[in-house]
Amino acid sequence: MYGLWGWGCMGALCALLGTASQPRAEPAGFSPARLDRVVDSAAARGFSGHVLVGAIPAAGTSAATPPAVLYERVVGLADRARRRPIRADDAWRWASVTKQVTAALVMQQVDSGRIALDEPVTRYLPDFAGPTGSAVTVRQLLQHTSGLPNPSDTPRDAGMPAFYLGRGPGVGNAAATRGYCATTPKRAPGASFEYNNCDYLVLGAILERVTRRPYASLVRAGIAVPLGLHSLRVAGAPRDGAPVLGYEEDGRPEPAFNLATFGAAGALSGTARDLLAFDHALAGHRLVSPSSTAEMWRSDPRLGYAALGAWSFPATLRGCAGAVRLIERRGAIGGIQVRNVIAPERGRALIVFTNSAAVEFGEIWQGAGLSHDLLSAALCDDPA
């Protein structure tokens, strides 16, 4: 079953088959049919979601042309009870891809000279009450080596960590910095990589203090308006911004939570095409300087190839000669999962959203799994 190139479909037929848009400026060796085979196979195993491959500026070039969609496919239902199909213009939770956007906002301030990566938190938040605030640096927050506590470790209540059920004045980047994120650290600063959301909630508070603007205003002014991203939103209420419902591994609807509690760590939502536009602008140095982009994408193998706001690593893909450098950012909140992968030297990006927590993406470095197969089809010649 292949994508319906140039044809329309309706209702349940779209949900069953998935839809695809006509690719533009299709490069030599690019095979939409190969991507269709991967998506069809994933759909047969329960995948529902949105797959998008786009052309972005290759390393060493600028964003002179708009992002081109090379492949687009939607499969499955946004709302299983109402049988509403997923649409190409649906907004999705960007989840921890929000951190990639926050990292870009931080680097904008680095470019302006307002923030320095190796200065401590207390230089920008002098009232930060955390015991290691004078030792944790901005770089450590960006790279998850701060040792700060993780809101995801709070006791679960109705299926979600209690932190993400918060309401009222206790919600937000600054509030989290005054509250939970200033409690006892888990590790000494710089001791090791340990993923946590407090790192980016603190970064959000730093941005707000340095610029004297709310995080949502910074997203609008620094990202959405200059790029024309009309769908990009920062959640201000529990279910803001994304009509695609998430489902647990057992198929039940995801538990309730307040998306606004994720702040600068996970509260963004928008369409897949707006995420492609962000990738395009980041790769083309429209958002931050070339030197700051290089700094964002410089990783440390000792930290599992963690970079600033993403992971940067070489990968072996089926059909590609030699290793391919990938900039990967993952995210998951409730039943929504996202993969945003930029291949700078190949001049392409792969974006995948799914509303099923049961979907297994696998690990790219293992040479198998959905992420590996999609990237091989998106970036490499067909070995068949």
Side-chain angles (χ1 to χ4, degrees):
M1 188 180 301
Y2 294 93
L4 305 178
W5 302 108
W7 295 85
C9 65
M10 299 178 61
L13 180 61
C14 284
L16 179 62
L17 301 183
T19 59
S21 65
Q22 181 68 33
R24 295 181 287 155
E26 186 176 304
F30 183 82
S31 172
R34 186 182 176 198
L35 277 160
D36 268 335
R37 291 193 294 270
V38 178
V39 175
D40 288 340
S41 177
R45 300 191 305 273
F47 174 83
S48 61
H50 193 159
V51 179
L52 180 69
V53 178
I56 61 173
T61 64
S62 63
T65 58
V69 174
L70 302 176
Y71 177 90
E72 188 169 26
R73 180 91 178 268
V74 293
V75 177
L77 299 173
D79 185 330
R80 296 178 185 177
R82 293 178 172 82
R83 305 297 294 172
R84 186 180 84 75
I86 295 169
R87 298 189 293 256
D89 61 353
D90 275 337
W92 293 78
R93 284 178 225 137
W94 285 14
S96 286
V97 171
T98 301
K99 295 181 176 71
Q100 198 170 18
V101 175
T102 298
L105 292 172
V106 170
M107 298 311 288
Q108 287 177 349
Q109 299 306 316
V110 171
D111 283 336
S112 73
R114 293 178 176 177
I115 290 178
L117 291 176
D118 296 310
E119 289 293 323
V121 168
T122 49
R123 173 175 175 180
Y124 307 106
L125 292 175
D127 55 348
F128 179 67
T132 56
S134 61
V136 172
T137 67
V138 173
R139 186 188 303 276
Q140 289 169 342
L141 295 172
L142 286 164
Q143 206 166 22
H144 291 303
T145 59
S146 71
L148 291 181
N150 189 355
S152 297
D153 293 337
T154 55
R156 287 188 170 264
D157 183 356
M160 286 292 288
F163 182 91
Y164 304 124
L165 302 176
R167 298 286 193 277
V171 170
N173 299 310
T177 301
R178 294 190 298 269
Y180 182 81
C181 294
T183 58
T184 304
K186 296 180 70 176
R187 304 281 184 274
S192 61
F193 173 91
E194 185 157 351
Y195 191 86
N196 79 83
N197 281 333
C198 272
D199 286 342
Y200 279 75
L201 290 164
V202 173
L203 285 167
I206 288 173
L207 284 167
E208 291 172 337
R209 179 70 68 88
V210 166
T211 64
R212 299 185 180 183
R213 301 178 69 176
Y215 178 76
S217 175
L218 294 173
V219 170
R220 284 194 300 272
I223 308 291
V225 171
L227 301 184
L229 309 186
H230 300 295
S231 73
L232 188 59
R233 298 285 185 276
V234 180
R239 294 286 182 174
D240 268 1
V244 181
L245 304 182
Y247 295 88
E248 298 279 83
E249 291 186 6
D250 60 5
R252 291 181 300 171
E254 65 193 5
F257 57 88
N258 183 1
L259 188 59
T261 61
F262 288 85
L268 286 179
S269 63
T271 64
R273 288 202 178 200
D274 273 0
L275 182 49
L276 173 61
F278 170 80
D279 291 346
H280 184 276
L282 190 60
H285 312 304
R286 288 184 59 197
L287 295 176
V288 301
S289 67
S291 60
S292 287
T293 305
E295 190 68 20
M296 286 177 70
W297 292 353
R298 184 169 61 87
S299 65
D300 188 341
R302 297 170 300 177
L303 302 177
Y305 290 94
L308 307 185
W311 280 257
S312 176
F313 55 94
T316 301
L317 300 175
R318 192 177 302 112
C320 281
V324 179
R325 182 168 68 124
L326 301 176
I327 313 300
E328 182 189 28
R329 178 68 250 183
R330 304 178 182 186
I333 295 177
I336 304 293
Q337 301 186 71
V338 56
R339 297 292 186 273
N340 183 42
V341 187
I342 297 169
E345 284 71 35
R346 299 276 164 162
R348 294 179 202 168
L350 168 71
I351 295 163
V352 187
F353 287 97
T354 180
N355 62 338
S356 172
V359 170
E360 294 285 349
F361 282 89
E363 295 295 341
I364 299 167
W365 60 268
Q366 292 179 331
L370 181 57
S371 289
H372 174 271
D373 293 348
L374 285 170
L375 285 164
S376 296
L379 305 179
C380 310
D381 293 334
D382 193 339

